[in-house]
Amino acid sequence: MRFGVLWLLLLVLMVGSSLASRGAAHLYNEANALYRKGRYDVASARYEDALAGGIRNAEAYYNLGNAYYKTGQIGRAILAYERALKVAPGDEDIQANLRFVNALKVDQEEAVEANVATRFLTGIYRMLSVDAVAIVCSLCVFVLAAVAIGWIFRPDRKAGWVGAFILIGVVELGAAGVLALKVQDQHVEEAIVLSEEVVGRSGPGTDFLQVFTLHEGTKVIIERGEGGWVLVRLGNGIGGWVEVHVLGKI
């Protein structure tokens, strides 16, 4: 009898999950239709509902960013594109739209000149996902094990086995380093300023001194929170406290 109840509960959960997925898909399709009709404000609300209902793909965030851009909400458009890049870091359309909208915001970071090699390596790093790097690490381990076995059974080819072992070992170390950086990046909490203008203060409250002023679309790193305030840090290293409701977490 007890197992029958468990199976019934499991069935109810599965049916509920399926219905929720269909509901989210319906909202997403409705949002697409509204967007094509030029009703961008309503479309953005439907995209938000679909994402809240369980839709999780880069295209949904990308379309949401486009809808917000069409309604002049630069901060929310940037937030949507940033979230899309979390899902599909190598998508060129998302990157292009994000660059375009970032150029429209008030607060612009100073451009840092980088050589061709640095830009190339940075581009590859951004394109790689944690799962992809983890797969490379696992494959290297298996290859190293295969090389070790080959060395045991064919010791007459020692030079070749040593060369292969060193080569794969270097790749493994490099992939492990990239994986560590990727995991560390995932623990960095970033956010986008959604209000038109935000005052950063020296402490968590309006009585503290003003440190800086931020504008819609600026990206910040969240360090810690206290009450309804969070300590954020800018790309140039300057930190200050802002109210949490003015931010949208990526």
Side-chain angles (χ1 to χ4, degrees):
M1 186 67 178
R2 184 179 300 175
F3 288 106
V5 174
L6 290 175
W7 277 108
L8 180 60
L9 289 173
L10 180 61
L11 179 62
V12 170
L13 289 174
M14 291 175 63
V15 172
S17 177
S18 176
L19 290 175
S21 298
R22 291 181 182 179
H26 174 73
L27 289 169
Y28 178 66
N29 292 331
E30 184 180 350
N32 287 335
L34 289 166
Y35 184 91
R36 287 192 291 269
K37 293 178 181 179
R39 300 180 61 186
Y40 305 117
D41 53 344
V42 186
S44 61
R46 291 293 184 276
Y47 283 127
E48 291 282 14
D49 292 339
L51 289 164
I55 293 291
R56 283 292 181 274
N57 60 60
E59 185 178 1
Y61 285 118
Y62 176 76
N63 292 345
L64 175 62
N66 292 340
Y68 276 135
Y69 167 71
K70 292 290 187 178
T71 58
Q73 300 183 70
I74 301 301
R76 295 189 181 278
I78 292 174
L79 176 61
Y81 292 142
E82 289 280 3
R83 287 174 174 172
L85 278 183
K86 286 278 188 180
V87 182
D91 192 292
E92 294 182 358
D93 290 333
I94 299 173
Q95 293 174 0
N97 280 24
L98 181 57
R99 285 194 299 269
F100 175 78
V101 180
N102 270 324
L104 302 177
K105 64 186 183 181
V106 176
D107 300 328
Q108 295 290 333
E109 297 181 359
E110 294 184 6
V112 179
E113 291 294 332
N115 56 42
V116 176
T118 301
R119 292 198 299 269
F120 176 74
L121 293 175
T122 301
I124 292 178
Y125 177 81
R126 289 176 178 172
M127 289 177 60
L128 294 173
S129 65
V130 173
D131 292 339
V133 180
I135 290 173
V136 172
C137 288
S138 301
L139 288 175
C140 286
V141 171
F142 283 113
V143 174
L144 286 173
V147 170
I149 293 173
W151 193 340
I152 293 172
F153 286 96
R154 294 297 303 271
D156 55 309
R157 297 184 177 180
K158 180 179 178 180
W161 297 127
V162 170
F165 198 88
I166 292 174
L167 177 61
I168 302 302
V170 170
V171 174
E172 169 68 11
L173 289 174
V178 172
L179 181 60
L181 289 174
K182 283 287 184 181
V183 172
Q184 183 179 357
D185 287 346
Q186 285 191 332
H187 288 84
V188 175
E189 193 171 20
E190 296 178 314
I192 301 297
V193 175
L194 300 180
S195 296
E196 185 176 349
E197 187 173 280
V198 174
V199 173
R201 299 188 178 275
S202 59
T206 56
D207 296 333
F208 289 90
L209 295 175
Q210 179 175 336
V211 179
F212 53 67
T213 300
L214 301 178
H215 299 86
E216 184 180 8
T218 301
K219 181 192 285 189
V220 297
I221 296 175
I222 298 176
E223 294 195 345
R224 67 176 187 274
E226 185 175 325
W229 294 73
V230 288
L231 175 62
V232 301
R233 196 159 299 280
L234 307 178
N236 58 13
I238 297 176
W241 292 83
V242 300
E243 294 180 275
V244 67
H245 68 83
V246 303
L247 302 175
K249 295 181 181 180
I250 298 175

